[in-house]
Amino acid sequence: LSMENEPPLSELILNAAQLHLKDDILYRSPRESYDMGKEVERMRHVKKQEAAAACLGGNDNIDASKSNDDVLVTQERSQAVIEWQELRNEERKQKQTRNTIHSDEETEKEDIEQEHTSTIDAA
């Protein structure tokens, strides 16, 4: 392969860039490209946090400095808290039911004892 009859490599690169890249990309400085890339990255991060907030029930107080991992940990903790609260509520209901049943049994026992005592006194 000989490149003797071909244009210089730099010219080929510039021609390919002009052919395949948009003008706004070609005429930006490296700093402008970097800043735009950072802004796009920041916006993606914010959108992910908003989506995570929506999953958490619309919590608007998510810190913009949190990473995606932090948001996921927060979601997992929130889910764990919800499950714990549901478990506690279920235990509380079961305890109330047991107390009600126990109270009814005690009342029934006392009624039987009172009837028995009344019967013995009457005799």
Side-chain angles (χ1 to χ4, degrees):
L1 249 265
S2 174
M3 294 192 57
E4 291 175 15
N5 297 332
E6 297 293 325
L9 184 58
S10 58
E11 189 176 327
L12 291 172
I13 292 171
L14 287 174
N15 288 340
Q18 288 177 336
L19 181 65
H20 296 287
L21 298 175
K22 296 179 183 177
D23 286 341
D24 61 325
I25 294 172
L26 289 173
Y27 297 115
R28 277 196 306 244
S29 71
R31 180 64 187 188
E32 290 172 324
S33 293
Y34 175 79
D35 290 342
M36 287 183 74
K38 291 301 279 184
E39 181 62 20
V40 167
E41 186 178 308
R42 188 187 71 74
M43 291 304 294
R44 283 185 187 145
H45 182 72
V46 167
K47 285 183 181 181
K48 285 181 182 178
Q49 286 183 328
E50 289 171 352
C55 289
L56 292 172
N59 184 358
D60 294 331
N61 297 327
I62 290 184
D63 184 357
S65 66
K66 285 187 175 183
S67 70
N68 292 335
D69 292 338
D70 292 338
V71 172
L72 292 175
V73 167
T74 301
Q75 287 176 331
E76 290 172 6
R77 286 182 182 159
S78 295
Q79 186 60 37
V81 168
I82 291 168
E83 290 173 4
W84 177 81
Q85 288 173 336
E86 290 172 352
L87 181 63
R88 294 290 295 152
N89 286 336
E90 184 63 32
E91 289 174 352
R92 189 176 300 118
K93 287 177 185 176
Q94 289 176 355
K95 187 175 181 180
Q96 287 173 345
T97 302
R98 282 195 305 266
N99 287 343
T100 302
I101 291 171
H102 182 70
S103 175
D104 290 347
E105 289 173 352
E106 288 294 319
T107 304
E108 189 175 322
K109 238 184 199 181
E110 289 171 2
D111 290 346
I112 290 172
E113 287 176 5
Q114 199 170 29
E115 284 179 24
H116 183 68
T117 305
S118 299
T119 306
I120 291 174
D121 290 341

